[in-house]
Amino acid sequence: MMKTGIIVLGQHADSAGENAVAERCAEYLMGNRRKNVNIAFHHGEPSSDEVMERMNMDGIDTFVILPLSISEGRMTVWEMPKKLGLPDNCGSWRIMNGKDVATRFATALGKNDAVADELIEREGTPDDNTSILLISYGSKNRECSDTARFYASRLELAGWRTTTAYCHHGRTVQDAITDFKKQGTKHIRVIPLFIAFDGPSAEQARRELDSSVLKVEYSEPISNLESFYKVLDSKVPEGW
């Protein structure tokens, strides 16, 4: 009989924000009676490969891995699975301690209507004097920009003026600032399409925004939404 387990997989253990999201996710899953839930990180401790090995030594032979990521990219498709002994995020098994183990590497959040609905509700009534800037980390993978544009378009349908920017690989934060100034926009609200809006890329974006002549306010990252955790829980099979 299989013994199942769940790995909540963050990217950076040195990120206080990512740690908080990972802990909230684990608590949410355990609150839904999920069993054998463990937190791990791709970079830092507890390391994902070591956590998986320890769980297997405890008898777990079937894993669901939940990457804490907003959109698919090199990290979720290749790098995170490789560290866990999988060829990519489609890998479904590997050998551990001389025996086969089954794996299910879940997809990133991506485009989700329930998350968009809650985001719209959180941001409230559109303000004619405010434009929304959705910031993503960025990726060469189209999924990242497609995801950002999805949430931007949903906010636009709700009446907000929106634009997107990326810390890497795409339209920059400085590009967005320049366009805001040309349009005469003075007040912007930033929505981070991040697990946690900290780390070097986020800090650079903040510096650029805060040094502009614009009035800038920051919403919580999209991972602050309750629906984000419901989506993660939905990726775990019933009965686990």
Side-chain angles (χ1 to χ4, degrees):
M1 182 176 180
M2 70 178 186
K3 184 176 180 181
T4 60
I6 301 167
I7 298 177
V8 176
L9 180 53
Q11 290 192 43
H12 302 97
D14 61 358
S15 164
E18 283 195 51
N19 270 276
V21 172
E23 289 173 6
R24 181 176 173 184
C25 180
E27 290 172 2
Y28 187 91
L29 293 167
M30 289 186 287
N32 282 348
R33 299 185 179 180
R34 304 297 191 180
K35 305 178 188 69
N36 301 315
V37 180
N38 288 263
I39 293 170
F41 291 92
H42 183 69
H43 298 291
E45 301 295 332
S47 178
S48 57
D49 53 345
E50 293 173 356
V51 168
M52 191 175 188
E53 176 69 20
R54 186 182 72 240
M55 292 171 70
N56 183 244
M57 293 296 290
D58 288 340
I60 293 170
D61 58 9
T62 309
F63 294 84
V64 164
I65 300 108
L66 301 176
L68 298 180
S69 182
I70 304 304
S71 60
E72 299 289 9
R74 184 183 64 191
M75 179 63 67
T76 57
V77 174
W78 303 106
E79 295 185 7
M80 282 178 160
K82 183 178 179 181
K83 190 170 182 180
L84 295 176
L86 301 170
D88 53 34
N89 62 348
C90 293
S92 60
W93 69 278
R94 60 163 291 192
I95 300 237
M96 295 187 73
N97 300 306
K99 297 180 180 179
D100 288 352
V101 299
T103 63
R104 177 182 294 189
F105 199 100
T107 55
L109 172 67
K111 296 172 278 190
N112 185 277
D113 285 320
V115 173
D117 289 342
E118 188 181 359
L119 179 62
I120 291 165
E121 182 179 1
R122 185 187 77 179
E123 297 305 318
T125 303
D127 177 358
D128 291 339
N129 297 315
T130 302
S131 290
I132 285 180
L133 173 62
L134 295 99
I135 299 181
S136 290
Y137 182 83
S139 171
K140 293 179 181 178
N141 188 318
R142 259 189 68 183
E143 183 69 22
C144 179
S145 57
D146 286 351
T147 298
R149 285 195 293 266
F150 168 78
Y151 290 106
S153 65
R154 286 294 311 274
L155 285 159
E156 285 173 359
L157 286 172
W160 287 99
R161 294 195 308 274
T162 71
T163 192
T164 57
Y166 307 89
C167 296
H168 305 274
H169 306 297
R171 186 166 183 268
T172 67
V173 172
Q174 197 59 56
D175 290 338
I177 291 170
T178 298
D179 288 348
F180 283 134
K181 290 178 179 178
K182 287 179 180 177
Q183 296 161 7
T185 301
K186 293 182 171 57
H187 186 196
I188 62 172
R189 183 181 301 172
V190 176
I191 298 177
L193 297 179
F194 277 66
I195 295 299
F197 200 49
D198 55 19
S201 297
E203 289 168 4
Q204 176 63 27
R206 281 183 182 274
R207 283 194 295 271
E208 292 176 1
L209 288 162
D210 293 343
S211 63
S212 72
V213 296
L214 304 170
K215 181 181 178 182
V216 182
E217 62 173 313
Y218 295 90
S219 287
E220 292 292 333
I222 198 169
S223 61
N224 188 254
L225 300 171
E226 181 76 8
S227 52
F228 176 80
Y229 299 91
K230 291 181 179 179
V231 170
L232 284 169
D233 183 68
S234 74
K235 297 176 185 292
V236 181
E238 288 297 322
W240 282 44

